[in-house]
Amino acid sequence: MIKLIHASKIYDKSGVQALYDVDFTARRGEFVSIVGASGSGKSTLMHVLGLLDTPSAGTYLLDGEDVSHLSARELSTLRGQKIGFVFQRFQLVEGMNALENVALPLLLQGVVRPERLCRAEKALAAVGLSHRARHKPGQLSGGQQQRVAVARAIVTEPRVLLADEPTAGLDPSAASDVLDLLEALHQKGNTVVLITHDPAAACRAERRLRLEHGRLFS
Ligand code: ADP
Ligand code: MG
């Protein structure tokens, strides 16, 4: 499903090397976690896996297709079809209510409004927040905002879910709820990659990897 071979990442402008010769495979339906300290390259790896950035060297096979040399437009289309993201700081749109936030990826895909709302309602129900559909992010707790972000990530029914520090800043109970949602997605057959600095959160995954100074270890 996901196969990164000898991938390195050097940020052009600063010359900082964030990933060194990373080999990473996630099978279809697998739940993998990657633990690393701040600055170890977690977000860089997530951006590469999520087609938000390209490796400086190496090969990336997504569903068997070599995506290393696709154009920005091709990457963006593929990303919309296959990948859902949950980011650390939720990244919800403040002016939109929970339902509108969840429906946003469908708007970008050109899905018509009635279908958008119907699918967004289902995704919000899946994270237990139907009763907060009309609330804006500022009217929700951190844990609720992150559940809205999970609903937004799954509304397009992506086969791959990438979560970068999804529990950071949440209290233990809210963090546990978010991890339960990731586990449920895995149990439905989706591939889940959980990136975190928290060993306890990482423990929820079937397989755990460590990232240290840009190098990945099993
Ligand atoms: P983490 O998410 O584990 O904290 P990052 O992937 O964000 O780590 O960063 C890894 C390294 O790459 C750090 O040294 C960081 O300063 C550097 N880095 C991250 N993003 C950029 C960027 N856009 N330009 C230059 N250097 C970056
Ligand atoms: Mg990070």
Side-chain angles (χ1 to χ4, degrees):
M1 168 106 244
I2 287 183
K3 199 168 177 68
L4 207 52
I5 306 161
H6 296 313
S8 299
K9 177 69 189 180
I10 299 172
Y11 286 104
D12 289 334
K13 285 193 191 119
S14 59
V16 170
Q17 181 152 7
L19 297 176
Y20 293 84
D21 199 26
V22 168
D23 284 310
F24 173 75
T25 306
R27 286 178 287 107
R28 189 181 290 274
E30 198 177 17
F31 184 5
V32 192
S33 62
I34 298 171
V35 196
S38 175
S40 60
K42 300 186 299 297
S43 294
T44 302
L45 180 56
M46 185 207 183
H47 288 156
V48 169
L49 292 176
L51 307 176
L52 290 166
D53 205 349
T54 49
S56 312
T59 307
Y60 184 12
L61 302 176
L62 183 57
D63 279 333
E65 180 186 0
D66 187 347
V67 297
S68 315
H69 303 289
L70 296 184
S71 69
R73 175 183 283 263
E74 289 167 325
L75 288 174
S76 156
T77 304
L78 209 55
R79 192 187 314 131
Q81 288 166 350
K82 300 204 173 181
I83 297 170
F85 294 97
V86 180
F87 296 100
Q88 175 173 351
R89 273 175 285 276
F90 324 136
Q91 301 195 0
L92 300 176
V93 180
E94 287 300 329
M96 291 185 173
N97 68 33
L99 189 67
E100 292 162 342
N101 266 286
V102 174
L104 199 53
L106 300 175
L107 179 67
L108 300 177
Q109 285 187 356
V111 176
V112 295
R113 187 179 154 84
E115 184 185 342
R116 266 196 329 261
L117 295 181
C118 169
R119 286 170 63 181
E121 277 163 13
K122 281 194 186 139
L124 263 186
V127 301
L129 278 181
S130 299
H131 60 301
R132 293 288 182 267
R134 310 289 163 198
H135 288 233
K136 301 243 169 90
Q139 300 167 323
L140 297 169
S141 70
Q144 288 171 335
Q145 288 184 59
Q146 193 58 303
R147 280 151 64 195
V148 172
V150 172
R152 182 186 55 187
I154 62 176
V155 75
T156 55
E157 299 177 17
R159 298 304 311 266
V160 179
L161 188 85
L162 301 176
D164 188 6
E165 304 264 16
T167 59
L170 300 184
D171 65 60
S173 141
S176 181
D177 287 349
V178 168
L179 294 171
D180 287 345
L181 289 172
L182 297 185
E183 215 163 280
L185 288 168
H186 154 61
Q187 259 140 26
K188 279 177 66 184
N190 298 294
T191 308
V192 178
V193 180
L194 166 63
I195 295 180
T196 178
H197 70 271
D198 176 9
C203 222
R204 292 281 206 106
E206 289 175 296
R207 187 156 64 88
R208 289 163 295 282
L209 301 171
R210 282 176 300 123
L211 194 59
E212 286 175 16
H213 305 297
R215 290 189 167 82
L216 193 63
F217 301 93
S218 53

